[in-house]
Amino acid sequence: MSQFRRLLPSANSLVVFEAAGRHENFTRAAEELGMSQAAVSYAVRALEEQLGVTLFQRMHRSARLTEAGERFHADVVAGLSRIERSAEDIRAKGREVNVTLAASTAFASMWMLPRLARLREDLPDIDLRIQTSVRDLDLEEEAIPLGIRGGDPKDWPRYHAALLAPEIITAVASPAFIEQNGPAESPADLTRHRLIWLEEPVRQACNWPEWFASSGIDYAPKGRRLAINDYVLVIQAVLAGEGIALGWNHLIEGQVRSGQLVQVGRHALVTGEAFYVVWPRSRELNASAARVRDWLLAEGEGFGRDR
């Protein structure tokens, strides 16, 4: 690039040269650029001196490109056109109001859905699109600006990550189930109740033996069990009184607050991992995506710093 600056100290001369070559007339180029004809002529002359070659054949009312001028003009047009397209693309991205968020079905339905009215009220000019998947999408490959991921940001070196919620897991049931089957004050009491299992097809999720182990109990399931591969359906089964399930606190907080679900016992597993808003390091968020990110973090009261 230092060689470029030595050859062409003024990039503006390229803009003048492109217009002059396109019109083959210094006066019309001057009118287009809002300059005087003398200024155009001076810029072209300076460019010719810098390159050490004649670019135009001057005539009475026109200026034709020389052979060298035609070759150089074609390259200048290609370069300036590419810069123009890039600038327009950047400008368009800055104006985008459509923001896509990649998330699990559980997060979309249990965390986002109850907050959509507030999102529309707080960010009325932004059109949020939620893309769900059974696996964590590659945001770079899919050209998605934002995602929600659970785990440890050290495992995602290509992403920025900001804390949304810590991973805290409790046992939950419906009030009707507790009324019918009696309370369970300790984790040991839970082993005598019907337990509903989440079997994630792709993402790793805590299971009952791991949860019991965190309370000091070596638990092995006996007999048949109800296992569901979708967390939304797990919670639907709990609400229907089918048994007790593990509850991720950031997802079930609304149902616990409303009394639809109740915590069973007092044990809570704090895994040390968390859920994060993530976005690729390879490209900068546009203004709309940054506003959605900040809104998500404010809703989650996440105080994690960008990793």
Side-chain angles (χ1 to χ4, degrees), residues 137-306:
L137 297 178
D138 186 327
L139 302 187
E140 290 179 301
E141 183 177 330
E142 300 288 338
I144 296 174
L146 297 171
I148 303 297
R149 285 195 179 186
D152 186 343
K154 294 187 182 68
D155 296 329
W156 323 314
R158 294 186 295 119
Y159 293 93
H160 295 289
L163 178 66
L164 181 71
E167 185 175 42
I168 303 173
I169 306 170
T170 56
V172 292
S174 68
F177 181 88
I178 297 300
E179 183 177 349
Q180 181 179 355
N181 295 275
E185 298 297 335
S186 69
D189 294 336
L190 266 69
T191 62
R192 296 188 289 270
H193 288 279
R194 292 198 306 270
L195 303 181
I196 302 174
W197 292 64
L198 170 65
E199 291 188 346
E200 277 275 12
V202 177
R203 294 183 177 94
Q204 291 186 342
C206 176
N207 57 31
W208 278 113
E210 292 169 340
W211 188 85
F212 279 116
S214 70
S215 69
I217 295 176
D218 184 13
Y219 172 76
K222 298 177 182 178
R224 293 182 301 174
R225 61 182 184 178
L226 174 58
I228 303 174
N229 68 352
D230 186 298
Y231 190 64
V232 175
L233 295 180
V234 168
I235 295 303
Q236 289 297 321
V238 174
L239 293 172
E242 293 298 326
I244 302 172
L246 295 175
W248 275 258
N249 283 10
H250 71 291
L251 295 179
I252 62 170
E253 58 179 350
Q255 289 156 316
V256 171
R257 193 163 50 245
S258 68
Q260 294 176 284
L261 294 175
V262 294
Q263 181 175 340
V264 183
R266 298 179 181 179
H267 179 63
L269 169 57
V270 181
T271 67
E273 295 189 343
F275 295 86
Y276 296 84
V277 181
V278 300
W279 62 100
R281 293 182 183 272
S282 61
R283 60 177 181 266
E284 188 175 350
L285 287 179
N286 65 33
S288 296
R291 290 172 63 199
V292 171
R293 176 201 59 193
D294 294 344
W295 184 89
L296 290 168
L297 296 177
E299 282 292 310
E301 297 181 353
F303 299 101
R305 295 184 176 180
D306 179 18

Side-chain angles (χ1 to χ4, degrees), residues 12 125 218:
N12 184 61
D125 57 322
D218 184 13

Side-chain angles (χ1 to χ4, degrees), residues 82-95:
R82 185 172 180 179
I83 293 170
E84 181 181 26
R85 287 194 301 271
S86 180
E88 284 297 330
D89 182 59
I90 292 171
R91 181 181 295 177
K93 288 184 181 300
R95 292 194 300 260

